[in-house]
Amino acid sequence: MSDILSEYNTSLNGLDNKEVQKRHQEYGLNEIEEKKPEPLIILFLSQFVDILIGLLIIAAIAAFAIGDVIDAGVILLAVLLNTIIGFIQEYRSRRAVESLKGLITKTAIVKRENKIAEIESKDLTVGDIVILEEGCKVPADAKLIEANYLSCDESNLTGESEAVKKDVDDTVYMDSNILSGHAQAVVTNVGMKTEIGKIAKIVQEDDEETPLAKRVGKLGKILSAIAIVVCIAIFALELFKGVPIVETFMTAVSLAVAAIPEGLPAVLTLTLALGMNEMAKSKAIVRKLLSVETLGSCTVICSDKTGTLTENKMTVVDSFYTNKDKTHLIGKLCNNAIISDDKIIGDQTDGAILKYCKDYDCSYERVGEIPLDSNRKMMTTIHRLDDGKDIVLSKGAPEIILDLCKYIDNDGSIEILDSQTKEKLLEKIGEMSAKALRVIGFAYKIRDKNDDESDLTFTGLLGLIDPPKKDAKKAVEECINAGIDVIMITGDHEKTACAIAKHLGILTDGKVITGAELDQLSDERYLESVKDIQVYARVKPAQKMRIVETLKQLDNIVAMTGDGVNDAPALKKASIGVSMGDGCDVAKEASDMILQNNDFTTIVKAIEGGRKIYDNIKRFVKYQVSTNVGAILTIVGTSLLNLPLPFNPAQLLWLNIVMDGPPAQMLGIEGAEKDIMKRPPEKGDILTKDTLLQILCLGLVMAIGTICVFAYEIYSGSSTTKAMTIAFTLFVVYQLLNAYNGKANSDKSSKYLYLGIVISFLLQLLILYIPQLQILFRTTAIGIADWIVIIVVASTILVAQKIMNRVIK
């Protein structure tokens, strides 16, 4: 004790007030420091710092400058929708630290200047003497200088629910609950230097960019580069031809509008939001919008065993009796669990045994108990029989029970337990243990003058296990077929972990490693071997972060499960942090997804949902970009051919936002492809080389068809308004048929796409035949013959897609 006091330069009388003030200056206050958040206005304005958004704003300003107020307004509406949703998502992410701050106790009992007082816990400092009593929370990290039967609940930090006994020189941690006893301790760390503070520091780190954010950003750069190059080239070409600068500027604005998929941010956001809603129905609550897609890119799932892969319900699955009735009597009476409404209150092992033995119809008054002890590894109860004698009932670790037995009860025949019989019983215990069962031995005796736990009579063994969930094995198999590695991480015994992992198909030809062995590995050696490790046993939650970081060094997209405060850093570092529905608030706030039913199968369903969403994102991006490419090529082609512009800015916005909207959104809710969970995770760009080639071909088909029909109308004497109307409508029909090209090869293909196509077509009819809309969009009515030409020419897009499906794989 004196060593601890001298180390922290304090005494049993506590610090004096002058020293407290000095140490506050040195160590700071005992509180979780929250990184100063950006003002909300800055957070909102930061949403505009995006290439796509920036180009849209420039396009809106340009449209406004030439008098197209409606065009500018529609563009800005799309921008505003996207930025508001982004702002809401980032604002929500601040709550993790607030949850951590809420864990900290508000007051502390402290001894200063030899007086005991209650103070605000934030005023504690290093060297303070704190008083700890049953029922209170530890206000800071501290070392014990006095401890009387002290036990703590450190589950928030360690993940283990068992009570931890503490003695002098042991450390107690901030936020631990004192379950029993009382103590005095010297504060060793405060605020951000406590274990909770270290977690808070990690939780406050900025989130890594999700795979989708990276891919969308890359797509934005590509589209921006195309828009800038083409706009400059056409601007220069038009000026060189002697076209007035106002018209040239108009052409450049039209190209900017054509090159940028204005509807993409809105459709992307809505698709992800719909995906979140669909996953919520499957008990997977996705907290962060872009994480919906990240699930589809997952390459590794690091899963807890207990409660996620298993039922978290100890169950008797094997038995060996020499006297069944006596074993069941002991199981029922030597037991402190209670079953209420089919729920176990108390120790889970006791509860499982009580459930198994509850039908044994016999009960005797309990007159004594020797409780379970971690050293003895057994418990004993004494009961009064009807004849007035007392019976001693014991259960516990089977080897220990056997060592205390002198007799064996063979269905009522009491015999000496000889060495040969004992050897056979030990073999039986070994067989049951090899199946990863928790084996419990049972014995009794009529009470005599000797020690109550000696000369016992053996009656049998029960084997218990926390069984795997019934669908977990199938879910693991689905992951393997989908190219996703499943790794089990548990605090349980190595044998138990291996047995469950083998049963589920997780442990095949890989390695098993314990937390102690992991600590012995250097970072270099661990990086070399990590891809071969399939099971981590006896792992401390703090080690999870190292596992995540090492797997990510190999370019994995890692999903990690957790439920405690101590899991928050790993959940934060993981590509996809998955917390449990009954986990703590800190874990939930640090995670990307919450499993309401704590079920591994739900993770797999969410991954399938994420893949479906990513497929649909690629589907509508391909559709929208091919439309933009077609529009660019059409405008460039007509400019090179000295033809008037076939579309005005309002029509281009109609194409990009309104006409793209319903079909693109319906493509965003297509059903899952038939092979969705039989292919490796997506690692490439949204637009692959093959997809870009298809987009270019489809754009060329649309451009050539539109230019040819437009030129024919101009040269055959049609008015410019009619020629533009026909070209505009042809391009719209091209789009609608191209949307049909994007349908999923699914058993559950959505019928909404047809609805979207019909709605878009009806909207197009409105702007062709309603006079007020004709003025707004500068269109005119067209006849049956024009429609026949439009339908026939637009059908070439279907033929082109069929050919490409055969040629481009």
Side-chain angles (χ1 to χ4, degrees):
M1 178 176 72
S2 59
D3 290 343
I4 299 172
L5 293 171
S6 60
E7 182 181 351
Y8 294 97
N9 195 21
T10 187
S11 71
L12 285 174
N13 294 331
L15 302 173
D16 59 44
N17 291 329
K18 186 178 178 181
E19 183 65 21
V20 168
Q21 295 302 319
K22 181 182 171 184
R23 295 193 185 195
H24 278 159
Q25 294 294 322
E26 184 178 353
Y27 299 108
L29 293 176
N30 181 40
E31 57 186 3
I32 298 300
E33 296 170 11
E34 190 171 356
K35 189 168 66 175
K36 190 175 180 181
E38 291 179 330
L40 292 182
I41 185 65
I42 300 297
L43 186 65
F44 178 73
L45 293 175
S46 68
Q47 306 304 313
F48 292 90
V49 183
D50 178 87
I51 291 175
L52 274 177
I53 297 297
L55 281 170
L56 285 174
I57 292 171
I58 292 169
I61 292 169
F64 185 79
I66 61 172
D68 286 319
V69 178
I70 294 173
D71 296 351
V74 175
I75 295 174
L76 290 175
L77 186 63
V79 169
L80 196 60
L81 174 65
N82 192 63
T83 52
I84 287 172
I85 292 173
F87 168 75
I88 291 169
Q89 290 298 318
E90 289 202 28
Y91 179 71
R92 287 178 61 194
S93 69
R94 293 181 175 182
R95 289 160 50 191
V97 179
E98 292 172 12
S99 296
L100 263 177
K101 291 176 78 173
L103 289 175
I104 300 168
T105 184
K106 304 299 181 189
T107 60
I109 306 297
V110 65
K111 185 190 283 187
R112 286 179 179 167
E113 298 182 332
N114 206 24
K115 294 177 182 177
I116 294 175
E118 184 174 8
I119 64 169
E120 288 191 51
S121 62
K122 71 176 184 178
D123 292 327
L124 281 176
T125 190
V126 173
D128 261 328
I129 306 296
V130 290
I131 313 298
L132 305 175
E133 299 282 354
E134 182 178 328
C136 78
K137 273 191 173 186
V138 180
D141 289 1
K143 268 195 174 182
L144 295 172
I145 55 174
E146 178 189 306
N148 296 289
Y149 304 103
L150 193 74
S151 65
C152 299
D153 173 8
E154 296 180 347
S155 56
N156 268 341
L157 277 172
T158 65
E160 302 296 331
S161 57
E162 290 93 352
V164 181
K165 292 187 176 179
K166 297 285 185 176
D167 212 332
V168 172
D169 290 345
D170 287 343
T171 299
V172 287
Y173 299 100
M174 179 188 277
D175 185 49
S176 298
N177 291 304
I178 304 299
L179 299 177
S180 63
H182 57 90
Q184 290 189 57
V186 177
V187 173
T188 57
N189 283 304
V190 294
M192 297 301 283
K193 291 193 176 178
T194 62
E195 292 302 310
I196 287 283
K198 291 172 186 175
I199 291 170
K201 188 175 181 181
I202 295 169
V203 167
Q204 291 185 75
E205 291 176 2
D206 293 335
D207 290 333
E208 291 184 10
E209 206 174 19
T210 66
L212 181 60
K214 292 176 183 175
R215 291 165 184 165
V216 170
K218 188 173 181 179
L219 175 63
K221 290 174 184 175
I222 292 170
L223 296 177
S224 302
I226 293 170
I228 291 166
V229 170
V230 174
C231 285
I232 291 172
I234 291 299
F235 189 80
L237 179 63
E238 293 284 288
L239 277 179
F240 181 75
K241 287 161 56 178
V243 177
I245 194 166
V246 175
E247 287 186 38
T248 305
F249 185 65
M250 177 72 170
T251 303
V253 171
S254 298
L255 271 173
V257 173
I260 302 167
E262 289 87 349
L264 181 58
V267 176
L268 178 65
T269 300
L270 287 170
T271 299
L272 292 171
L274 287 171
M276 287 175 71
N277 186 55
E278 191 174 331
M279 287 182 187
K281 294 176 184 176
S282 301
K283 305 297 183 183
I285 308 299
V286 181
R287 295 184 59 254
K288 299 173 184 176
L289 203 61
L290 288 174
S291 299
V292 175
E293 178 277 330
T294 309
L295 285 160
S297 306
C298 177
T299 59
V300 179
I301 302 174
C302 296
S303 176
D304 280 330
K305 175 184 75 69
T306 306
T308 306
L309 291 165
T310 64
E311 296 283 358
N312 196 20
K313 294 177 183 175
M314 292 301 293
T315 306
V316 177
V317 294
D318 199 0
S319 59
F320 173 80
Y321 302 114
T322 60
N323 187 317
K324 182 177 179 179
D325 285 347
K326 279 287 196 306
T327 301
H328 282 213
L329 171 72
I330 300 164
K332 183 177 180 181
L333 299 184
C334 183
N335 200 310
N336 287 330
I338 298 169
I339 297 175
S340 176
D341 296 328
D342 207 38
K343 290 183 179 178
I344 295 170
I345 301 171
D347 182 78
Q348 290 293 310
T349 301
D350 267 8
I353 294 170
L354 184 60
K355 270 192 171 185
Y356 191 71
C357 303
K358 67 180 181 180
D359 293 333
Y360 187 78
D361 188 19
C362 187
S363 183
Y364 299 110
E365 177 192 359
R366 182 185 293 192
V367 294
E369 177 183 352
I370 306 173
L372 177 68
D373 182 275
S374 58
N375 295 318
R376 292 167 48 253
K377 295 184 179 178
M378 63 181 291
M379 77 172 286
T380 296
T381 56
I382 300 105
H383 299 262
R384 183 72 37 85
L385 297 175
D386 294 337
D387 61 6
K389 293 181 180 178
D390 291 343
I391 187 169
V392 177
L393 308 178
S394 298
K395 77 175 194 300
E399 295 89 349
I400 290 174
I401 292 290
L402 265 182
D403 283 342
L404 297 174
C405 286
K406 184 177 180 181
Y407 307 98
I408 184 169
D409 186 337
N410 287 314
D411 290 328
S413 174
I414 310 299
E415 301 170 7
I416 294 290
L417 180 60
D418 56 41
S419 57
Q420 189 176 1
T421 305
K422 188 174 182 179
E423 191 63 36
K424 287 182 180 178
L425 290 172
L426 287 170
E427 285 178 15
K428 186 64 184 176
I429 292 167
E431 286 174 21
M432 294 172 76
S433 298
K435 300 176 189 175
L437 301 181
R438 181 180 293 177
V439 185
I440 306 295
F442 296 82
Y444 76 98
K445 76 170 185 178
I446 300 300
R447 196 175 195 184
D448 52 31
K449 293 180 180 179
N450 298 324
D451 177 12
D452 284 335
E453 293 182 330
S454 66
D455 299 338
L456 300 176
T457 303
F458 181 82
T459 68
L461 304 166
L462 291 180
L464 302 90
I465 198 167
D466 177 12
K469 291 184 175 177
K470 63 177 182 179
D471 295 327
K473 187 173 184 178
K474 183 182 176 185
V476 169
E477 187 180 342
E478 282 185 55
C479 287
I480 293 167
N481 290 337
I484 302 167
D485 294 327
V486 181
I487 296 172
M488 178 192 285
I489 301 178
T490 178
D492 215 331
H493 293 277
E494 187 176 348
K495 277 187 178 180
T496 304
C498 287
I500 297 291
K502 282 178 181 176
H503 175 79
L504 294 174
I506 293 172
L507 183 58
T508 50
D509 54 355
K511 295 178 182 177
V512 180
I513 188 172
T514 64
E517 291 167 340
L518 178 60
D519 282 340
Q520 298 302 313
L521 291 177
S522 66
D523 289 342
E524 292 76 16
R525 284 187 60 200
Y526 181 41
L527 186 62
E528 289 171 7
S529 60
V530 67
K531 60 181 179 295
D532 299 320
I533 301 170
Q534 293 178 322
V535 176
Y536 293 83
R538 285 298 188 196
V539 168
K540 297 173 185 174
Q543 294 172 311
K544 285 185 176 182
M545 195 161 72
R546 187 184 180 195
I547 296 169
V548 169
E549 289 175 333
T550 306
L551 286 168
K552 287 175 73 175
Q553 282 184 54
L554 298 176
D555 293 326
N556 285 298
I557 307 296
V558 183
M560 170 67 78
T561 66
D563 54 11
V565 171
N566 55 326
D567 290 322
L571 294 174
K572 182 79 174 181
K573 288 286 183 184
S575 313
I576 308 137
V578 183
S579 62
M580 302 300 138
D582 57 3
C584 71
D585 288 342
V586 179
K588 290 177 184 176
E589 294 295 344
S591 65
D592 304 291
M593 184 171 82
I594 300 169
L595 298 187
Q596 287 186 304
N597 57 0
N598 296 15
D599 198 332
F600 181 81
T601 309
T602 305
I603 302 176
V604 180
K605 286 179 183 175
I607 287 172
E608 182 178 346
R611 288 189 173 194
K612 184 183 83 168
I613 288 165
Y614 187 56
D615 280 351
N616 288 340
I617 288 171
K618 290 195 297 181
R619 221 182 297 283
F620 72 65
V621 167
K622 175 189 172 185
Y623 164 70
Q624 286 199 310
V625 175
S626 61
T627 297
N628 295 117
V629 169
I632 290 170
L633 293 175
T634 302
I635 291 173
V636 171
T638 52
S639 179
L640 291 172
L641 293 171
N642 287 321
L643 291 168
L645 289 177
F647 317 124
N648 58 51
Q651 290 172 348
L652 280 168
L653 275 169
W654 179 261
L655 290 172
N656 281 0
I657 296 177
V658 182
M659 293 307 299
D660 278 2
Q665 189 56 68
M666 297 313 158
L667 284 173
I669 57 173
E670 278 287 281
E673 295 279 343
K674 290 179 180 178
D675 67 343
I676 196 162
M677 291 299 280
K678 295 178 182 177
R679 66 186 195 218
E682 293 277 357
K683 286 190 175 180
D685 295 326
I686 293 176
L687 299 178
T688 62
K689 289 180 181 178
D690 287 346
T691 305
L692 286 169
L693 182 57
Q694 287 198 33
I695 285 170
L696 182 60
C697 292
L698 292 169
L700 278 169
V701 169
M702 286 188 270
I704 291 169
T706 304
I707 291 170
C708 287
V709 171
F710 181 60
Y712 173 78
E713 290 295 326
I714 291 290
Y715 292 129
S716 65
S718 295
S719 66
T720 302
T721 301
K722 183 180 179 183
M724 286 179 69
T725 301
I726 291 172
F728 171 45
T729 304
L730 170 58
F731 202 84
V732 165
V733 178
Y734 263 134
Q735 280 183 276
L736 299 181
L737 294 179
N738 193 33
Y740 177 81
N741 282 335
K743 274 188 69 63
N745 179 22
S746 172
D747 293 326
K748 297 179 181 178
S749 185
S750 169
K751 301 295 184 284
Y752 291 110
L753 179 60
Y754 301 114
L755 179 62
I757 291 172
V758 170
I759 289 171
S760 294
F761 185 73
L762 291 174
L763 290 171
Q764 181 67 16
L765 291 180
L766 293 178
I767 67 170
L768 292 184
Y769 297 107
I770 293 179
Q772 292 84 351
L773 294 177
Q774 288 176 340
I775 295 168
L776 187 63
F777 288 94
R778 299 160 212 165
T779 58
T780 188
I782 56 177
I784 295 296
D786 300 320
W787 275 110
I788 292 171
V789 171
I790 287 168
I791 298 298
V792 171
V793 175
S795 297
T796 57
I797 200 79
L798 299 174
V799 178
Q801 185 64 60
K802 292 286 184 185
I803 294 170
M804 285 188 292
N805 287 343
R806 291 179 177 275
V807 176
I808 303 173
K809 299 296 182 183

